[in-house]
């Protein structure tokens, strides 16, 4: 199960209380106050980890709390600070405060670290209040409450290239052919139910991240089908590939499919139409594909890569072209 949104309740640790204590030792008649300060509460820390793929851990365990600071002790002993709670999240994670509705954090790069909630300060022991007027203070302060809140974790996949197309256009087949990802495939719509990110590797160690987005349908921008749930995953891509079933399966017209995809992306976010795009004509091994491609070119201009995921035709050229396009960004 792929989880790209989940609600969590997070709590930083409370500070430990200050200690009320007086030094009492044999042969020392005037010991004076020696109550130590409390320790600070632990923080809630988010760390971006490229080895994490989704947010499922937080779906099944939505409550996380850092440790409280220990109270101070006599002999001016400072209480131990509480341990932080460190949450690993995948690149592309946004954190929204559900109380205010504001975006409070966004983690994009591996190793990036954000202190989301600060632990409370420790209280002061009575030794802190000693002065020339008050030699035996009995005053202490309690530890401060740690910050807390309810947040929405939202993942927007980070990839160089995003594959968009109608169900069964060949997105998963292309991902299988070019990358190390292995999305499920079957001859029925919506085989892919979650984004899948694979890596295209080249001999010179150049790498291209490819995201296979579940198939769109007419009305996806209005949240029909898988709708908004996965359209957001193309927002971060540098390049969009429109993969078109050029065989016209189920009496579909490839030119109409492409036009509808453009409409859906534009309705969801007009900025998506400003991204560079490459049209990939799949299933060129079928008899009807050449005729359909000719009709397609009369309606839509732009670069078109001809491939067949079944026979492997054009895949090497497409792989090389993707490297060129991504390297330009």
């Amino acid at each position: 199960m792929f989880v790209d949104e989940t609600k969590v309740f997070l709590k930083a640790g409370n500070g430990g209380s200050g200690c009320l204590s007086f030094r009492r030792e044999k042969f020392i008649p005037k010991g004076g106050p020696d109550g130590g300060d409390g320790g600070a509460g632990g923080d809630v820390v988010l760390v971006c980890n490229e080895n994490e793929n989704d947010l499922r851990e937080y779906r099944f365990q939505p409550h996380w709390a850092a440790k409280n600071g220990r109270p101070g002790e006599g002999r001016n002993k400072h209480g131990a600070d509480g341990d932080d709670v460190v949450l690993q999240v995948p690149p592309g994670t946004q954190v929204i405060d559900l109380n205010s509705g504001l975006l409070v954090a966004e983690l994009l790069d591996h190793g990036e670290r954000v202190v989301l909630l600060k632990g409370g300060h420790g209280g002061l022991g009575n030794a802190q209040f000693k002065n020339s007027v008050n030699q035996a203070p009995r005053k202490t302060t309690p530890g401060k409450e740690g910050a807390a809140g309810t947040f929405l974790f939202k993942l927007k996949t980070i990839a160089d290239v995003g594959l968009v197309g109608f169900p069964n256009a060949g997105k998963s087949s292309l991902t299988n052919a070019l990358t190390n990802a292995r999305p499920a495939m079957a001859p029925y719509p919506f085989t892919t139910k979650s984004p899948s990110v694979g890596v295209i590797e080249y001999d010179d160690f150049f790498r291209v991240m490819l995201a296979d987005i579940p198939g769109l349908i007419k009305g996806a921008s209005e949240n029909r089908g898988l709708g908004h749930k996965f359209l957001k995953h193309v927002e971060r891509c540098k390049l969009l590939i429109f993969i078109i079933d050029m065989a016209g399966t189920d009496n579909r017209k490839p030119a109409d499919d492409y036009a509808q995809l453009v409409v859906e992306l534009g309705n969801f976010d007009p900025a998506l139409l400003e991204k560079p795009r490459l049209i990939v004509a799949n299933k060129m091994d079928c008899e009807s594909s050449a005729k359909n491609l000719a009709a397609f070119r009369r309606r839509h201009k732009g670069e078109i890569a001809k491939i067949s995921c079944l026979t492997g035709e054009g895949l090497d050229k497409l792989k090389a072209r993707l490297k060129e396009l991504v390297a330009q960004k």
Side-chain angles (χ1 to χ4, degrees):
M1 178 178 67
F2 180 84
V3 177
D4 60 356
E5 282 190 17
T6 189
K7 184 169 69 173
V8 294
F9 176 79
L10 306 176
K11 174 74 169 65
N14 300 331
S17 298
C19 176
L20 174 62
S21 174
F22 292 92
R23 183 180 181 187
R24 291 180 175 85
E25 295 185 38
K26 194 175 183 179
F27 307 122
I28 303 178
K30 296 181 180 179
D34 69 349
D37 300 340
D43 300 332
V44 176
V45 181
L46 303 182
V47 176
C48 185
N49 186 346
E50 63 185 9
N51 297 314
E52 298 291 333
N53 297 317
D54 66 7
L55 302 168
R56 74 185 71 185
E57 180 177 5
Y58 307 107
R59 167 70 61 83
F60 297 110
Q61 186 177 340
H63 289 242
W64 296 80
K67 297 294 185 181
N68 296 331
R70 297 287 298 171
E73 299 179 11
R75 299 191 177 184
N76 291 306
K77 291 182 179 179
H78 193 290
D81 293 340
D83 293 334
D84 297 338
V85 61
V86 180
L87 306 180
Q88 307 279 341
V89 297
T93 300
Q94 294 182 327
V95 182
I96 298 169
D97 185 339
L98 291 179
N99 184 46
S100 65
L102 298 177
L103 176 67
V104 294
E106 187 171 28
L107 294 94
L108 303 177
D109 300 316
H110 178 68
E112 187 177 354
R113 186 181 180 93
V114 173
V115 178
L116 185 62
L117 296 173
K118 288 289 294 180
H121 293 293
L124 300 178
N126 66 331
Q128 296 280 16
F129 296 97
K130 179 182 177 181
N131 55 46
S132 59
V133 176
N134 187 358
Q135 295 289 318
R138 304 187 66 83
K139 180 180 179 181
T140 64
T141 60
K144 299 294 185 182
E145 187 85 8
T150 302
F151 301 89
L152 178 68
F153 285 2
K154 179 185 291 188
L155 174 62
K156 291 185 178 181
T157 303
I158 294 179
D160 299 306
V161 179
L163 283 175
V164 295
F166 280 93
N168 292 122
K171 299 183 304 303
S172 295
S173 297
L174 182 59
T175 302
N176 268 335
L178 295 182
T179 77
N180 55 1
R182 291 296 176 264
M185 296 185 297
Y188 52 82
F190 298 114
T191 304
T192 305
K193 295 184 178 179
S194 63
S196 175
V197 179
V199 180
I200 306 175
E201 296 184 343
Y202 296 84
D203 291 339
D204 59 357
F205 302 105
F206 191 83
R207 304 174 82 200
V208 173
M209 301 291 290
L210 181 70
D212 172 15
I213 309 302
L216 305 179
I217 65 171
K218 184 177 181 179
S221 59
E222 300 170 2
N223 215 22
R224 296 178 183 172
L226 299 175
H228 294 175
K229 184 172 177 61
F230 296 120
L231 269 171
K232 64 189 176 187
H233 289 282
V234 301
E235 291 181 322
R236 299 187 188 279
C237 296
K238 301 175 183 177
L239 168 72
L240 298 182
I241 287 181
F242 287 74
I243 186 163
I244 307 298
D245 177 359
M246 204 53 68
T249 306
D250 297 329
N251 295 318
R252 303 181 66 89
K253 294 183 178 180
D256 291 342
D257 283 355
Y258 175 71
Q260 189 61 53
L261 288 172
V262 171
V263 169
E264 297 301 335
L265 291 180
N267 288 343
F268 178 74
D269 183 354
L272 293 177
L273 300 184
E274 302 299 320
K275 291 181 178 291
R277 71 183 71 162
L278 175 64
I279 300 170
V280 173
N282 190 26
K283 304 184 183 180
M284 291 304 298
D285 55 290
C286 297
E287 292 183 8
S288 58
S289 296
K291 179 180 178 182
N292 288 338
L293 179 59
F296 185 93
R297 289 186 184 277
R298 288 195 290 269
R299 287 183 55 180
H300 300 290
K301 305 300 180 182
E303 183 178 357
I304 299 176
K306 299 186 294 182
I307 69 166
S308 169
C309 291
L310 180 64
T311 66
E313 173 192 349
L315 292 180
D316 288 339
K317 290 183 179 179
L318 174 60
K319 183 177 177 180
R321 183 57 178 149
L322 289 178
K323 179 182 178 181
E324 293 175 0
L325 292 172
V326 172
Q328 294 171 6
K329 306 307 170 191

